Every structure is written in structure tokens, then in C-alpha cells.
Amino acid sequence: MEEKISGAIVDSFFTKLKECLSLDVAVVGAGPSGLIAAHDLALAGRKVAVFERKLAPGGGIWGGGMLFNELVFRKNALEIASDFNIRTTDAGDGCYTADAVEVAAALIFGAVHAGAHVFNSVSVEDIVFKDGKVCGVVINWTPITRLEMHVDPLVITAGAVLDGTGHPSEIARKAADKAGVTLDTPTGKVMGERPMWVESGEASTVENTKMICPGLYVSGMAANNVSGGFRMGPIFGGMFLSGRKVAGLIAEGLDAR
Ligand code: 48H
């Protein structure tokens, strides 16, 4: 039995990994925007995998505001919440709350059930960049990167890469700093996040969700950081709408190839 259990895990894992060596879409970061994008794209029949550095996918959802594990939404995000069977409570003035643990669980379950594979404890440490286009990601186990072990990575090729890494926009930075790409921002570079302004931040997150250089898209707080948007704290509608928007843009981009 001992051998059976280990063998079953190894066989299933490698079947899954092998299937994902070449993807339609590689999503970096399992925060709300990345998970929603992965869900929508997988539901539309695209081959999608999400690479998440941490053991638990969900990004900034779990902690709510200052560890009070409730999130706020406005009306414009309720349709997406309902697609994931997330229950919300009317808090007045156009605001709704949802249990952060329910939101994280629902988005993870939704993405995986739609057909996306989530690889947790896997860090994206670099991009594949060929002929002026981002066409894949370079992955390694998070403990290897954290311990700074000198171990070479593996490569996943993809028709599109989504930077859903949140505040640091790590993948966009790699494109700008390592590949020397001019990004589709007013300065051509990563502009950096601005301070708190809820209304502006929610709106600009969605506006700034786009392809920022050939093959590379940004969503959520990464979109905000790249184009210099304001932050908005624990209100998550912008993240939901950004995830849905970027899935549509990526699908259009893949179809146009
Ligand atoms: C693999 C990586 C890597 C890497 C990072 O930050 P997130 O929750 O993502 P978003 O942008 O969808 O949601 C943002 C939201 O949670 C938030 O922070 C808000 C609304 N803040 C407002 C404010 O004012 O502060 O998740 C990103 C995920 C995390 O789980 C990271 O661990 C992961 O990406 N990640 N995974 N390889 N190189 N970098």
C-alpha cells in the first residue's frame, strides 16, 4: 500500500505537469484576478495553468482588511461573485461584504473545476523571451528559490502570459528590466503604485488591465503598479472585473494569432 500511494501521487502529478509544459495561457499568481482569469479562460476551452509561489493559493484574499477576514465589493462585482456562488451581505451605500475565506475557497475551486491546473509552491523566476515576444515562464520550486539553492529551473511555453503577481508586478519588471522591452505605459517602464484613493484605484485597475508588450498581459494590482494607479485597500471589485477583462483580451489575442 505504501508503494501504491506514492506511485499514484507521482503518476498523477507528472501527467498533470507534462500536460502543462505547453499552454495557451500561463497565469503567474493565484490572487483574485489571476484565478478569475484562469477560470474564464479554462471555461472557454483554453489550456491554462496558474503558478503560485505560496503553498496556499488566494493571494491577498485571505486576510481581508487588517486580518479582519471580510472583503468589500460594490454592485458592479456582484455578477462575478454570483458566478462563483459567493454569498454577499448588503452593507448599505452600495457596498457589500463577503467572507474572505469563502471568496478564496470559491475562486480556487472555481478555477480548478473549470479545468485550470494550479501549481502551488512554484515560483516564476523568469520569462521566456523570443523575437520580441514573451512566450513562456521559467519555474522552480519556491523552497529552492527561498533557500537560494543553485538549481536550474524548468520552462513552460505559452501563447500568452498573465502577470497576476499583485503589488510587485514581478513579471512586467522582468520584461522591462531583463528583456529591455518598452511597456505600454506613459513612460514605457513600470511606473509604480500610487497611494490610497479608492474610487480612482478601482476604476484604473480595470482600465490598466491590458497587454503591456507582445505576449504579456497584466491584471489586478500588477496592472495598477505597472501604469501608476492608486491603491484601494480591501475592496475587491476592481480585481474581479480586471480578471474577467483580461481573460477576454487574452482570448481575443490568442484567436488573432
Ligand atoms: C509565482 C507569484 C509570484 C511569482 C507573486 O496580490 P494578489 O492577491 O493578486 P491580485 O492583484 O489579483 O489581487 C490584489 C489584492 O489581493 C490586493 O492586494 C489588493 C486589492 N490590495 C489593495 C491595496 O491597497 O493594498 O496575489 C498575487 C499572487 C500572490 O499569491 C503571490 O504569492 C503570487 O501572486 N506571486 N507566484 N511566481 N514570481 N509573484
Side-chain angles (χ1 to χ4, degrees), residues 28-34 51-54 59-60 122-124 164-167 170 220-221 231-233 235-236 239:
V28 189
S33 66
F51 301 96
E52 168 52 50
R53 168 178 286 155
K54 296 200 173 134
V122 172
S123 290
V124 170
T165 63
H167 295 266
E170 282 189 27
M221 289 312 284
R231 66 185 301 191
M232 74 300 292
I235 179 160
F236 274 65
M239 305 304 124

Side-chain angles (χ1 to χ4, degrees), residues 167 169 173 189-195 224-230:
H167 295 266
S169 66
R173 278 194 191 280
K189 299 184 175 3
V190 173
M191 294 177 67
E193 182 180 291
R194 299 167 87 184
N224 235 22
N225 189 50
V226 165
S227 290
F230 286 88

Side-chain angles (χ1 to χ4, degrees), residues 236-254:
F236 274 65
M239 305 304 124
F240 276 31
L241 294 164
S242 169
R244 182 138 289 176
K245 177 180 171 184
V246 85
L249 295 176
I250 291 173
E252 272 171 35
L254 291 173

Side-chain angles (χ1 to χ4, degrees), residues 142-176:
T142 298
I144 286 179
T145 59
R146 292 239 165 111
L147 293 169
E148 296 180 9
M149 292 168 72
H150 191 160
V151 177
D152 270 331
L154 288 179
V155 175
I156 307 287
T157 60
V161 173
L162 172 60
D163 183 343
T165 63
H167 295 266
S169 66
E170 282 189 27
I171 309 305
R173 278 194 191 280
K174 295 267 183 239

